[in-house]
Amino acid sequence: MARDLMFQAEIKQAVRQAYAAISSGGGATVARRLYSEQELAEVPSGAVDWALGVGNPVRYAPLRPGETALDVGSGAGIDTILAARRTGPAGRAVGLDPLEEMCERGRRHAAKAGVEGWTEFVRGEMEDIPLPDESVDVVLSNGVLNLSARKSRALAEILRVLRPGGRICMADLTVEGELPPEVANDQSAWAG
Ligand SMILES: C[S@@+](CC[C@H](N)C(=O)[O-])C[C@H]1O[C@@H](n2cnc3c(N)ncnc32)[C@H](O)[C@@H]1O
């Protein structure tokens, strides 16, 4: 049986529903596995509680003051806020997420962190990023590319918005080998 038999629209819908339905993130226990105490102290507790990532892309970026960072699939904003702390007010941090409720959480957390002046959360998808060509220095992403049924398209969009010499720093899940069809075609496996 061929893999990936689900239609792209169904995968997108399943992912959206899954993230719209959750009422909390991984919590501080999960966040402590990915971020240092010092990094966690840089973000409000709400953003820590809502951490849903699989790594710590900001740590490895590394971001410089004045740069523009884009956090693809920003969720409630933990990495966007960490990025904003590093770009400083001379730079800009943009979180991108298709769910308005995630963007709202990000805005609230950015305001609590005091970085709202140079941080924004934009509703949109990684497959169609609502930013101009060559407008970003660093693209960050934490546990998001794996959710796309159109990964090549998402990567092409990321390359489009990056300035020449720009960087991508991404933490994600990868699959080695073939997934059994009952997993590849399972909606909760795609979203989870
Ligand atoms: C696993 S969570 C990670 C959230 C955040 N990066 C973090 O580390 O806490 C995945 C996020 O990607 C968002 N997402 C789902 N599909 C997306 C898409 N097509 N483009 C951008 N973000 C997407 C979800 O709404 C969710 O907020």
Side-chain angles (χ1 to χ4, degrees):
M1 192 188 222
R3 290 193 302 141
D4 300 349
L5 293 183
M6 288 169 61
F7 294 111
Q8 290 178 354
E10 287 178 0
I11 292 170
K12 188 164 140 179
Q13 189 60 15
V15 168
R16 249 174 211 239
Q17 278 173 356
Y19 284 97
I22 57 174
S23 54
S24 69
T29 312
V30 172
R32 266 198 285 273
R33 279 198 264 137
L34 306 177
Y35 303 91
S36 68
E37 282 303 320
Q38 194 185 330
E39 287 163 338
L40 292 176
E42 294 179 46
V43 289
S45 58
V48 173
D49 289 340
W50 267 96
L52 286 163
V54 296
N56 185 339
V58 175
R59 187 184 290 170
Y60 300 99
L63 282 155
R64 294 186 280 268
E67 288 191 318
T68 296
L70 168 66
D71 180 16
V72 169
S74 45
I78 185 164
D79 295 313
T80 319
I81 293 167
L82 285 170
R85 293 247 187 251
R86 282 147 189 76
T87 68
R92 186 174 167 222
V94 181
L96 174 78
D97 205 284
L99 293 179
E100 184 55 28
E101 50 270 51
M102 286 295 188
C103 291
E104 269 305 311
R105 287 181 191 111
R107 288 177 201 122
R108 264 202 316 274
H109 295 148
K112 277 204 173 151
V115 298
E116 73 278 22
W118 63 98
T119 305
E120 60 188 302
F121 288 86
V122 178
R123 197 168 170 188
E125 298 175 356
M126 61 186 143
E127 298 85 355
D128 185 17
I129 299 175
L131 290 181
D133 298 356
E134 300 185 4
S135 57
V136 170
D137 298 297
V138 179
V139 171
L140 306 160
S141 183
N142 195 352
V144 180
L145 189 68
N146 74 87
L147 300 173
S148 180
R150 301 174 70 203
K151 293 178 177 55
S152 300
R153 167 75 192 179
L155 285 168
E157 275 294 272
I158 286 169
L159 288 178
R160 180 184 65 75
V161 300
L162 273 178
R163 294 195 172 111
R167 288 107 68 202
I168 301 174
C169 200
M170 203 174 265
D172 221 312
L173 306 171
T174 58
V175 175
E176 293 177 9
E178 290 288 306
L179 286 173
E182 61 272 23
V183 175
N185 294 312
D186 182 85
Q187 294 198 355
S188 58
W190 263 96

